Amino acid sequence: MLHGHVDGRDFALLLHLSPETLRIELVDTRGDKDLEPTAPPWYAERGRGLLLVAAFADDWGVAWGPAPRKTVWAEVRLRRRDQRG
């Protein structure tokens, strides 16, 4: 996994699995970054993470605090093999 972070500051990746949902949480201490899924220039090698999250997750958001901590979370609904649709 590649994550944009401030040098010298750690981050945590948390996974929560229930029978219906996979929840992914990324916690870091970079509170100064605007979190809108925007496309970088075509030649950029990075910067598309939130675009991918927004495209593939059923729901996602950001929880702030305590400063400068933030948690970006995404949820994906799981389907059983016998379910259609």
Side-chain angles (χ1 to χ4, degrees):
M1 183 190 81
L2 190 61
H3 170 264
H5 68 281
V6 176
D7 288 338
R9 295 185 186 175
D10 289 330
F11 65 94
L13 174 67
L14 305 162
L15 303 174
H16 305 274
L17 181 62
S18 75
E20 299 85 22
T21 306
L22 170 64
R23 182 179 174 103
I24 304 160
E25 296 181 1
L26 185 65
V27 183
D28 67 24
T29 55
R30 186 167 181 175
D32 59 336
K33 183 115 170 136
D34 187 24
L35 291 173
E36 290 294 323
T38 56
W42 65 269
Y43 51 84
E45 294 182 10
R46 297 181 179 170
R48 294 172 179 82
L50 280 182
L51 287 174
L52 293 170
V53 168
F56 290 105
D58 292 304
D59 195 13
W60 74 278
V62 180
W64 296 95
R69 178 179 166 167
K70 76 171 179 294
T71 302
V72 178
W73 59 269
E75 293 184 344
V76 178
R77 286 189 296 275
L78 305 176
R79 297 182 185 162
R80 295 182 182 167
R81 289 183 182 213
D82 59 343
Q83 290 179 329
R84 307 269 183 211

